[in-house]
Amino acid sequence: MPKYRCYCDMEFTCGYNIPSDESETISIGLVICDAKHNFVTEFYSTVRPIRRRKLQKKCIRLTNLTQKEIDESLDCELVMKKVVKLLHKYSIQEVFVYGNFDKAALFSDINIHKKRKKDYRSIKFVADKIVDIQPTIIRLLGLTHPVNIEMLSNALGWFPKDNEKYHNALIDARALYHISKAAYTAKVNDIPSFSQLKNEQKRIAKLEEKILEREAFQIPASADEIAFINTLSDPLRHNYYRTRLKIINAFSKYPNEFVLCHVILLSCAQD
């Protein structure tokens, strides 16, 4: 087991008419802890984008960053050199983030640097170490589907200080650290607010399953099919409902039986 763990969050340029594949980093926060989740150190820096240097109003509202902060910041490559130095110091092999956007957005930043013929090696070093820990946390906590960082950290009893807000890279990195710490070390089901969140998820999941079942059986099942469904475990039954609904939807688009045969095979192959 690694001696140290690193939790990270980044904020990127956002606003109207900015496609996700043109994202640029505007801030990064890291929290490093030991293997038992004892806090060790943290890092925060704003970053100056090179393509869209002026923040849009939506981005300013979301992140609470100012244009002055961004203008006075270093380029992403120079900031990531500091990050790389910190990762080397603690022999960090994985940089944990919550969700799959950060890695893709960093590679967008890399492509922009490439086009401008600017160094990007440190950005790529960090991007290559990024691991989405969201699926692991959701599994450890026994949740049915992902919950955003703010809602989840609050449910687990962690809140920013009065003058701090979410969508700040360091605050969100701290939240992720506390979420992970709870997932690995705490008796989370003894936390009333988390139990309430978990029960609400279960209620919604049951409701969604009922809706799925109703839609999947617009065309009634035969007795043999019902007998087969009753032999399936809950996860397999859920997948069967989804596949059956795909076939029904495909039939409405392709009523020709020969075409439908291919659609059925493709639907089953995708599952």
Side-chain angles (χ1 to χ4, degrees), residues 3 41 59-61 73 75 78 89-90 103-104 111 116 148 170 179-180 182 184 192 196 212 216-217 223 228:
K3 190 175 180 181
T41 190
C59 192
I60 292 172
R61 286 196 302 269
S73 301
D75 174 76
L78 297 177
K89 180 179 179 179
Y90 291 98
K103 191 181 187 87
N111 289 333
R116 299 295 178 94
N148 67 57
L170 182 57
I179 290 169
S180 184
Y184 279 101
Q196 183 178 356
L212 174 61
F217 289 91
F228 168 73

Side-chain angles (χ1 to χ4, degrees), residues 195-236:
S195 294
Q196 183 178 356
L197 171 66
K198 197 170 182 179
N199 289 335
E200 181 64 12
Q201 275 208 345
K202 288 179 179 178
R203 186 188 69 80
I204 293 173
K206 287 180 180 179
L207 180 61
E208 290 175 342
E209 189 70 13
K210 286 182 179 178
I211 294 172
L212 174 61
E213 183 178 359
R214 185 179 68 232
E215 292 180 345
F217 289 91
Q218 300 169 46
I219 298 176
S222 66
D224 287 342
E225 186 180 9
I226 292 173
F228 168 73
I229 292 170
N230 289 335
T231 67
L232 301 176
S233 64
D234 287 344
L236 288 176

Side-chain angles (χ1 to χ4, degrees), residues 75-85 87-88 106-107 109-114 117-129:
D75 174 76
C76 187
E77 173 64 18
L78 297 177
V79 172
M80 291 303 177
K81 281 185 178 180
K82 296 181 179 181
V83 173
V84 170
K85 186 177 179 180
L87 298 182
H88 281 316
L106 266 190
F107 274 100
D109 215 333
I110 289 170
N111 289 333
I112 291 171
H113 277 69
K114 282 183 179 179
K117 299 188 184 304
K118 290 181 173 288
D119 191 9
Y120 59 87
R121 287 172 294 179
S122 297
I123 308 175
K124 189 173 187 304
F125 182 90
V126 175
D128 286 341
K129 290 189 177 297

